[in-house]
Amino acid sequence: SAYVEQLIREDIRDMTGIKAIGEMETLYQLLPAQAGQLLSVPALSQGLQMAYNTIRSWLLTLQRFFAIFSLAPWSRGVPRAIREGQKIYLWDVPRVQDPGARFENMVALELCRAVSTWNEMGYGRFSLHFIRTKDQQEVDFLLVEDGRPMLLVDAALEAQQPSPALIKFQDALKVPAVQLVGAAEGYRRIANGGQTIMIAPASQYLAGLP
């Protein structure tokens, strides 16, 4: 968007002293296609022919200026879960072209806002993560309170059933789970052993967050 381009060309350039503004703009233009994926800094470094540490520094700068935000993986209590890496999302959601990725980005943004609100209001120490195993099973989001998992959330634009990964990770962590979908007729609950997974329309569910 014109706002982010102005942000990079003016605010970031003036406040950070970064000279390669054109290359940073190119990096930002590549990020919508990375939304919701495990980010490969080496691949970005190679594609832009810039040093790894430079790309890492620019990504941190884009986060500081609220162009993107990132989630770290959660591994405690999940067998074979990855411990390193990050997923990134854009604050400017419409820049994400793929409908499924844009839906996931929108959910990430609303959950991130809720976590920030809860922390600012002193309700506890909340954080937002994702879970991904070495065999590439993944649940998009895990809400954590005071270092303890509290809620699994998966975002699937059209799926009307919980993913196998959501079922598996709920079994491992023993926490409530929600499958957010783009369109659904109200809420449904699906039994998962002694627990339940709620299928919910994203617009209604997210509207209930602070």
Side-chain angles (χ1 to χ4, degrees), residues 183-194:
E185 296 181 1
Y187 292 77
R188 289 190 297 125
R189 285 178 170 79
I190 295 177
N192 179 25

Side-chain angles (χ1 to χ4, degrees), residues 124-140:
R125 292 182 300 111
F126 294 88
S127 57
L128 186 62
H129 304 267
F130 69 95
I131 301 177
R132 183 183 176 95
T133 59
K134 293 175 182 177
D135 55 0
Q136 299 186 1
Q137 288 188 297
E138 183 173 327
V139 165
D140 296 323

